[in-house]
Every structure is written in C-alpha cells, then in structure tokens.
Amino acid sequence: MNGNSSINDKDWFKVNLTKGTKYMTCGEKAFDFLIEDSAGNVITEKAYSTSPRVFAFEIPADGLYYVRIKGISSEQTKYLFYVGSPVYAVGSVIIPCNTPTINMTGGTKTAYFDSTNLNIPKNAVVTSLTFNNIRTTDVKSIILTNNNSGINLTMNQSSWDKDHLESMHLPAVTMWTAQFGYNKTTSFNPTIKMYYVYPIYP
C-alpha cells in the first residue's frame, strides 16, 4: 500500500494475517506504524526512518489485523509498505567455468560452474539460466545439474537457456555440473548468466 500521511493524519488499513512470523517492509519517507488485532491489542509498534526498512513481528492467531500509518511531520509525506510475507528482490550474476576453455573432440565433456563463492544471498532461488559464448551448433545438447538439489535441467537447444525456474526452488548458491554433448570439433569459453530472487529479511 502507499499514500500520504502527516503527524495529524493517520491512515488505517485492514489485513488478514496468518499465525507466525510476518514482515513489515517500509519505503518512501519516514513514518511510524502500529499493528493491532481486532480487539485493539498492540502487536508491534515501530518507527521507520528509512533504515532499517524491514521489521519482523509475530502474529498469535489467524485473523483480521489493523495497520496504522502516521507521518512524523506536520507536512504530508509519501509512504509505502508491504505487510505479511517478505518482499523479494532480484539479482543476477555471471558464473565462470572451472575450465576456461572446453575442447569438444568427441564424446561428452563435463565442466563445473561454482556459484558458492559469489556474492549471492544464501536464500536465493534460480529464475533463469543462460549459457554464454556457446554458438548454436557448438554442441548437440547441454544438461546442467544443480548439485545442491540433484535436479537436472536439459537446456533449450540452440539458445542454451532455461526460464521460469522459480517454482523448482533451485538453490542459487551451489556447484553446477554441465555435460556438453558432442556435435562437432570446436572450442568455446562458457559462462552461465544466472538470474535469481531472494527474500529481504530484517
């Protein structure tokens, strides 16, 4: 939700929340917020001043809850918030090959791509993968294995990519094993472009 508020202009919102740990993610200008249950019992009350921007709180039971937003000055200022599940952010990274040059001379070649030492949030999951520096006819096939989960991905022929992977919950931080099927004698220097999403926690 977003809107405008001041110290004399409080906005209220009603939301259904389930029992357990929930998150209030805040944005725009500074504001105070309060969350209470339908009986008026305060669940949490915090001041957001642009940092930190994510607050965790515990919901004791499923039900209706109320969020109050109040600006901190007499002037109207913008606010933005999400309440309930954590907010997700996106990122991308290039994963190098442990063998910079792959020489295809017949049979299947195996190579490894290590994303464990890159700057990737530990809870990130993969959304798409694309092999770079491999031409359409360099190989016959590419099978990529997420070593953490053991799941094999057969890359799309010619484009050597795979999209819409978020529902598979593949860990982004892992070692990857690629098997290149022989098509012709050639050499290439592969990397993987990986996109991922990750939750923003306090």
Side-chain angles (χ1 to χ4, degrees):
M1 298 298 299
N2 60 75
N4 294 280
S5 182
S6 71
I7 198 168
N8 299 312
D9 177 25
K10 304 170 187 177
D11 289 351
W12 286 88
F13 299 89
K14 181 168 64 175
V15 60
N16 271 303
L17 295 173
T18 55
K19 181 179 179 179
T21 303
K22 302 299 170 189
Y23 301 91
M24 180 78 169
T25 303
C26 306
E28 295 289 359
K29 303 297 183 179
F31 59 85
D32 297 334
F33 70 87
L34 174 146
I35 300 174
E36 62 181 37
D37 63 17
S38 57
N41 299 308
V42 174
I43 302 300
T44 187
E45 187 172 7
K46 299 287 183 182
Y48 160 65
S49 59
T50 73
S51 180
R53 63 184 297 257
V54 183
F55 303 85
F57 59 95
E58 294 296 321
I59 290 295
D62 297 0
L64 281 174
Y65 292 83
Y66 298 86
V67 180
R68 187 197 71 193
I69 304 296
K70 182 178 74 172
I72 62 171
S73 72
S74 58
E75 295 183 359
Q76 291 279 332
T77 55
K78 291 182 178 180
Y79 64 81
L80 169 71
F81 74 90
Y82 303 85
V83 63
S85 299
V87 172
Y88 285 78
V90 298
S92 66
V93 69
I94 298 292
I95 310 172
C97 183
N98 72 328
T99 306
T101 300
I102 303 297
N103 296 307
M104 300 300 296
T105 56
T108 299
K109 297 292 183 180
T110 301
Y112 301 93
F113 297 79
D114 187 2
S115 63
T116 61
N117 58 357
L118 303 178
N119 188 24
I120 304 171
K122 66 177 183 178
N123 294 319
V125 296
V126 180
T127 60
S128 70
L129 296 156
T130 302
F131 277 87
N132 296 324
N133 306 323
I134 303 179
R135 293 178 294 272
T136 299
T137 60
D138 278 349
V139 294
K140 184 178 182 179
S141 62
I142 302 176
I143 297 176
L144 185 64
T145 302
N146 183 293
N147 290 10
N148 192 306
S149 67
I151 293 175
N152 297 325
L153 301 171
T154 300
M155 309 304 287
N156 295 321
Q157 201 153 14
S158 301
S159 59
W160 309 125
D161 62 1
K162 203 75 171 177
D163 294 324
H164 308 298
L165 300 173
E166 51 271 17
S167 63
M168 299 180 72
H169 302 287
L170 297 172
V173 180
T174 187
M175 182 73 78
W176 300 85
T177 301
Q179 293 195 0
F180 301 104
Y182 179 78
N183 189 52
K184 66 180 181 181
T185 300
T186 189
S187 297
F188 48 84
N189 309 98
T191 61
I192 298 174
K193 179 69 173 288
M194 177 175 69
Y195 287 90
Y196 55 84
V197 296
Y198 59 96
I200 300 175
Y201 293 119

